[in-house]
Amino acid sequence: VELEATEACARRLDRGDSLASFRNEFSIPPGRNGDPSIYLCGNSLGLMPRKAREYVDAELDDWARLGVGGHFRGKNPWMPYHALLRDPMARIVGALPSEVVVMNSLTANLHLLLVAFYRPTPRRFRILVEGGAFPSDRYAVKSQALFHGYDPDEAVVEVTPRPGEDCLRPEDVLRRIDEEGDSTALVLFGNANYYTGQSFDVAAIARAGQEKGCRVGFDLAHGAGNLPLALHDDGPDFAVWCSYKYLNGGPGAVAAAFVHERHHDDESLPRFSGWWGHDEKTRFEMGPEFRPISGADGFQLSNPPILQMAALRASLELFDRAGMRALREKSERLTAYLELLLEDLEGFRVITPSGAEERGAQLSLLFEPGQGRAVHRRLESAGVVCDYREPDVVRVAPVPIYNTFLDVYRFASILRESL
Ligand SMILES: Cc1ncc(COP(=O)(O)O)c(C=O)c1O
């Protein structure tokens, strides 16, 4: 179906959407006059899969019925529960199951893997990061540099866009890695930037960094469940991500980490250890020496949050049913449709790159100073849920697993009236 700026076209696109029924699997928060809201905020907090309640209830029931016995005798025993999430999560990020573990929260996982993979020496101590990375990532890398005795302002190098440009040129990223590589211990990038929505080529950045002898890690907060990923083949050393955004795991949901297979049995990697990362066969012998499980599981610290995992399972099952390939195909069309409908509006500029290969679901609309917040308020009072990020950006993310083309059409009409 040709993309046209009409409601009839939006409805036609929805009728032809093979993923349309997935919307019914989610609770869509109400908007104005009892209608469902136009929820375009899955880049911040994904919606609740209806089954999440049933899955969480099942674990509460086992807790009520069995107490501590739930660890072994529950319907889904809690002891190996985290393994239920491993395969579906690995499929979403294109990794081997042994390379993925669901645990902790995002920034905590980032620190744990920085401990293992940021090994500065006086000649090679820098951390090269995308300019305008999410604040938590910047705090994390600066504090790691400080922890190792380096001046964070010298150690952390940001790759910034050219003057007057909003996004990084991919060739500039690779050139900076080449220029700074010899003094760089770690390259850390996102694969979609939270502010601009720009996505980066994981394989190219991993290769460029590793050719210069650097370790390479990714924060996939805005990529997991949004962009197709092939972490094993693309070869970064590690990655971390949260699951409350595109992965719909719920507020504060349990996060995940990837450790490439090539590091699985490397005993020289330093790590901050906990008993849940210890060899499962002998964990309960309570011995004094830590013997890690081979693979990503060996980075676990604690016994996991079962209720959070239950909620996330409900969403991962939907991803398995829909498939990342089909989701991405729809996502490209949804975002292209949004881009088309915004084309003739004035008062803002879309700063997200225009090609599908350099973005995920999100478009970022940059307003004149002071205007963005006011427009955002008007959108909200008209039943749209999207978010505002300082400075001056309204982020809009049609999410293929529950949004419709009509959502996008209605959003654009309301935006037109709000300007
Ligand atoms: C790119 C990125 N990194 C880190 C974080 C921080 O996440 P958390 O609070 O889960 O540690 C976020 C949160 O939105 C993010 O978008």
Side-chain angles (χ1 to χ4, degrees):
V1 179
E2 276 297 299
L3 301 179
E4 289 162 14
T6 61
E7 183 173 333
C9 173
R11 290 184 185 279
R12 237 182 357 258
L13 289 163
D14 283 330
R15 279 197 300 275
D17 172 14
S18 61
L19 299 177
S21 65
F22 281 92
R23 180 176 172 85
N24 302 328
E25 305 280 353
F26 290 87
S27 291
I28 314 288
R32 282 213 323 172
N33 309 326
D35 291 335
S37 59
I38 300 167
Y39 195 89
L40 300 170
C41 212
N43 55 337
S44 182
L45 184 74
L47 291 180
M48 187 189 91
R50 292 180 190 279
K51 276 251 163 69
R53 194 186 298 280
E54 179 186 320
Y55 284 19
V56 172
D57 268 351
E59 301 317 318
L60 289 171
D61 286 345
D62 275 354
W63 183 21
R65 211 164 44 87
L66 300 166
V68 70
H71 282 300
F72 296 102
R73 289 188 281 114
K75 204 152 79 332
N76 301 299
W78 302 328
M79 195 56 71
Y81 197 94
H82 79 282
L84 296 174
L85 296 118
R86 187 202 319 281
D87 286 21
M89 191 62 106
R91 282 189 280 275
I92 287 171
V93 297
L96 305 177
S98 60
E99 292 173 318
V100 170
V101 59
V102 175
M103 61 178 188
N104 308 323
S105 59
L106 170 53
T107 307
N109 287 345
L110 179 58
H111 273 298
L112 289 175
L113 294 183
L114 287 173
V115 165
F117 291 106
Y118 175 52
R119 310 280 306 280
T121 63
R123 291 193 47 205
R124 193 188 267 282
F125 64 96
R126 294 212 154 85
I127 307 175
L128 196 69
V129 296
E130 66 186 291
F134 193 81
S136 200
D137 297 26
R138 294 152 94 179
Y139 306 152
V141 290
K142 285 191 171 183
S143 66
Q144 288 273 341
L146 202 57
F147 175 74
H148 285 281
Y150 294 91
D151 173 358
D153 292 331
E154 210 188 327
V156 177
V157 177
E158 294 193 28
V159 187
T160 49
R162 296 185 188 191
E165 298 187 6
D166 302 300
C167 291
L168 287 164
R169 296 198 194 180
E171 66 271 25
D172 287 359
V173 174
L174 301 182
R175 185 176 47 76
R176 283 300 294 281
I177 293 174
D178 189 49
E179 286 168 2
E180 310 280 345
D182 292 336
S183 63
T184 297
L186 176 78
V187 176
L188 179 71
F189 256 70
N191 81 323
N193 180 275
Y194 81 100
Y195 181 79
T196 64
Q198 180 180 19
S199 70
F200 300 104
D201 183 337
V202 174
I205 291 174
R207 201 177 323 113
Q210 288 163 350
E211 274 171 8
K212 297 296 283 188
C214 316
R215 291 278 162 85
V216 182
F218 279 86
D219 174 344
L220 308 174
H222 285 264
N226 175 21
L227 288 154
L229 288 160
L231 291 183
H232 178 76
D233 290 344
D234 289 352
D237 295 286
F238 74 91
V240 290
W241 60 99
C242 58
S243 57
Y244 43 78
K245 297 178 185 292
Y246 295 95
L247 294 178
N248 315 309
V254 60
F258 161 90
V259 179
H260 197 278
E261 190 183 30
R262 76 175 82 90
H263 300 297
H264 283 188
D265 297 310
D266 179 355
E267 290 185 4
S268 73
L269 279 187
R271 68 176 97 194
F272 288 166
S273 309
W275 77 314
W276 225 254
H278 188 280
D279 175 21
E280 286 151 306
K281 287 191 245 21
T282 55
R283 183 187 289 149
F284 282 85
E285 289 173 13
M286 307 303 205
E289 297 302 328
F290 176 72
R291 278 211 306 280
I293 306 170
S294 170
D297 266 9
F299 286 82
Q300 294 173 101
L301 298 179
S302 305
N303 80 97
I306 300 299
L307 301 181
Q308 288 188 34
M309 288 188 163
L312 179 56
R313 261 185 77 206
S315 177
L316 297 187
E317 284 182 5
L318 297 176
F319 273 84
D320 260 342
R321 270 172 49 202
M324 271 311 294
R325 183 192 295 263
L327 286 168
R328 176 60 180 161
E329 262 173 37
K330 177 176 171 188
S331 178
E332 286 185 17
R333 282 174 78 69
L334 269 177
T335 302
Y337 194 48
L338 174 61
E339 188 176 37
L340 172 86
L341 297 178
L342 299 182
E343 239 167 41
D344 64 338
L345 301 188
E346 286 173 7
F348 63 88
R349 196 154 55 74
V350 176
I351 59 170
T352 310
S354 157
E357 65 288 350
E358 265 194 273
R359 70 181 183 206
Q362 172 186 326
L363 292 185
S364 301
L365 284 45
L366 180 71
F367 287 80
E368 289 298 313
Q371 296 296 307
R373 210 177 252 295
V375 170
H376 181 248
R377 250 194 311 266
R378 273 174 244 144
L379 289 169
E380 279 203 317
S381 62
V384 172
V385 184
C386 59
D387 70 11
Y388 174 79
R389 283 287 174 272
E390 294 290 358
D392 307 313
V393 155
V394 172
R395 305 189 302 178
V396 186
V399 169
I401 205 160
Y402 48 73
N403 281 125
T404 61
F405 289 88
L406 194 58
D407 282 339
V408 170
Y409 181 83
R410 287 187 170 145
F411 165 78
S413 309
I414 293 170
L415 176 62
R416 184 187 298 274
E417 288 159 21
S418 307
L419 289 170

